[in-house]
Amino acid sequence: AQDPYRQQLERLLPQATGFDAEMVRLSLNHYFKTFRALQLQRFVAEDFANPKLLDEFQPRSKGGWSKAFGPDLLVHVWAGNVPALPLWSWVSGLLVKAGSIGKISSAEPIFASLYARLLVEVEPRWADCFAVVWWPSGQLASKPSTEECTLVLADVVVAYGGNEALSALQARTPVTTRFLPHGHKLSFGLVSAAALSASKAPELARQAALDVASYDQQGCYSPHVFYVQRGGSVGPQEFAQQLAGAMAALNHKFPHRVDSLEEAARVGAWREAHDFAALQGAKHAVIGGHAEWGCVVYADEAVPLAPGPLNRNVLVVAIDRLDELTALLAPQCHFLQTVGVAAAPEELLPVGDLLGQAGVTRICALGCMTAPEAGWHHDGRFSLLDLVRMVDIEDSTERNAELFTRYEV
């Protein structure tokens, strides 16, 4: 807490993003634990059975040798919806020995800039290994533009943002450059009837509220909907009431940031849509809602997954069977990412298979949705393997080399 860089982050990030200072502080505490030395070893071990592949040619089981080469230039295009987002791809680049240029977002320019200064202070030889910059996206103010020059030089581009912006960026990226986009994703929660005992449901509601409140649902791993199975000691509607209470209580610890006019209009339209649906006979009800902490809407009928308005507004949907999810998730199959699950041990693998078939790439406990583990497969892909280029020396080359030894006759 006495580190000057940490003090600057805790002071500047709330000012730049509008998020509650205590939320930022606690989130950074948890986030930085993911990047300690032991966790960084997990990053490498997750993708490389033999980490020495990153250093020198290693023998292959079928004969021959292989080595992993990181990109000479890895370009990062970072979004600004969640503070400290740059750390994931930047650390991954460092682990594969890539030189990096990171384009910061005007919405959150703080973290990457301070982190760059810290790295150079720790290891001055890294000063020429990376740069943190900004340029106007897609604007060709000069010929050639900064963006054009950077994309032409890049071996790999890792980009975060909206799907339209990513599509436009990909069109400006040379076809020979590997493009790794992370666009819009949709996450939700799932609560089995087996988890809804009278004693456990309140804690589950508190964990779900934490997932909703963290950075006001701005992350791709934040839940928009909770599917709750009927048949437990606590029913879906009662769980929705408990969730509303937990969200209201949590607001005292992590106050909701002030919505922009556009965000407020989106939230208002979402609530009015559910009120109108109720007037038309749909079994929808606003369980709790307040401008300060958000809103919980309960649907007593199966509703397909759809994105909500964010900013702590969430839908609780009652279902009879867990396998109902197959049809409810189908329209969003290309956008699914994280599911926070509360289920019995015997349900876990069947549920995991169901969700995986639907398109989900990450399953975790409620309360952990916004804190991925070290080495997780972001959007179902690899943190490090996607960045490297494998070079193989085939067995035939080695065998043929024997013909040219000094002792060959």
Side-chain angles (χ1 to χ4, degrees):
Q2 302 305 313
D3 181 84
Y5 288 99
R6 180 60 187 269
Q7 291 175 347
Q8 289 185 73
L9 287 175
E10 292 183 9
R11 177 173 56 86
L12 296 175
L13 284 177
Q15 295 177 21
T17 63
F19 291 121
D20 174 65
E22 182 66 4
M23 179 191 295
V24 170
R25 186 185 70 83
L26 293 177
S27 295
L28 289 177
N29 282 348
H30 186 90
Y31 193 57
F32 289 148
K33 292 177 184 177
T34 312
F35 299 94
R36 291 172 173 167
L38 289 176
Q39 280 65 39
L40 294 181
Q41 290 180 43
R42 291 192 177 97
F43 268 89
V44 177
E46 188 69 36
D47 286 10
F48 296 97
N50 181 358
K52 291 191 72 176
L53 279 166
L54 290 163
D55 299 323
E56 56 191 35
F57 278 98
Q58 294 294 298
R60 303 167 68 189
S61 58
K62 65 178 183 179
W65 302 76
S66 292
K67 182 180 178 182
F69 288 81
D72 288 333
L73 178 58
L74 171 60
V75 172
H76 314 257
V77 180
W78 293 311
N81 55 321
V82 176
L85 174 67
L87 200 52
W88 282 106
S89 65
W90 196 345
V91 167
S92 296
L94 290 173
L95 290 174
V96 298
K97 307 178 183 180
S100 287
I101 293 178
K103 176 185 178 283
I104 55 177
S105 166
S106 56
E108 201 282 85
I110 307 298
F111 183 88
S113 303
L114 289 176
Y115 185 63
R117 295 178 188 175
L118 174 61
L119 286 180
V120 174
E121 185 176 299
V122 172
E123 177 48 81
R125 289 177 297 177
W126 286 347
D128 296 326
C129 294
F130 47 76
V132 175
V133 298
W134 179 84
W135 62 77
S137 298
Q139 296 182 14
L140 307 181
S142 59
K143 295 290 186 176
S145 68
T146 302
E147 181 179 272
E148 286 178 313
C149 293
T150 305
L151 294 177
V152 166
L153 292 172
D155 299 296
V156 180
V157 175
V158 178
Y160 300 81
N163 289 359
E164 290 184 5
L166 290 176
S167 180
L169 179 63
Q170 186 170 22
R172 299 192 296 271
T173 302
V175 69
T176 53
T177 299
R178 190 180 308 171
F179 189 79
L180 304 174
H182 295 287
H184 287 309
K185 293 297 175 182
L186 191 54
S187 299
F188 63 95
L190 174 61
V191 182
S192 162
L196 289 171
S197 67
S199 61
K200 294 183 173 64
E203 176 60 19
L204 284 178
R206 190 191 69 83
Q207 293 170 345
L210 280 170
D211 287 330
V212 173
S214 180
Y215 290 133
D216 296 339
Q217 291 177 291
Q218 297 299 311
C220 56
Y221 31 58
S222 299
H224 293 242
V225 177
F226 288 97
Y227 288 102
V228 183
Q229 186 183 18
R230 296 185 179 95
S233 298
V234 173
Q237 186 166 0
E238 185 178 351
F239 179 80
Q241 293 168 336
Q242 293 178 351
L243 176 59
M247 287 171 57
L250 199 59
N251 191 64
H252 294 290
K253 185 175 183 180
F254 302 131
H256 187 293
R257 69 187 177 96
V258 178
D259 291 345
S260 68
L261 290 177
E262 182 181 351
E263 289 171 329
R266 190 162 57 241
V267 169
W270 180 79
R271 295 184 188 180
E272 288 176 5
H274 286 288
D275 286 336
F276 182 75
L279 291 174
Q280 299 300 309
K283 299 177 181 179
H284 293 209
V286 176
I287 297 296
H290 196 282
E292 289 187 358
W293 59 262
C295 178
V296 176
V297 172
Y298 172 68
D300 196 38
E301 57 185 357
V303 175
L305 180 66
L310 308 181
N311 296 299
R312 307 194 194 187
N313 294 276
V314 68
L315 179 66
V316 175
V317 177
I319 57 174
D320 291 316
R321 306 181 322 276
L322 298 180
D323 59 12
E324 288 181 59
L325 287 173
T326 299
L328 299 178
L329 302 179
Q332 306 291 348
C333 62
H334 297 297
F335 302 99
L336 299 178
Q337 193 206 71
T338 295
V339 182
V341 170
E346 63 273 14
E347 297 174 316
L348 190 56
L349 293 184
V351 165
D353 192 62
L354 182 154
L355 295 175
Q357 291 286 347
V360 170
T361 58
R362 175 175 171 250
I363 301 169
C364 65
L366 285 179
C368 299
M369 292 183 67
T370 63
E373 294 180 348
W376 73 305
H377 295 102
H378 191 176
D379 295 341
R381 297 300 309 167
F382 295 93
S383 297
L384 306 184
L385 276 178
D386 281 353
L387 302 179
V388 303
R389 172 174 52 90
M390 299 299 299
V391 176
D392 298 332
I393 299 176
E394 293 189 355
D395 184 50
S396 62
T397 314
E398 186 177 3
R399 285 187 282 106
N400 196 55
E402 293 293 337
L403 300 175
F404 310 115
T405 60
R406 287 176 292 178
Y407 50 80
E408 177 66 24
V409 295

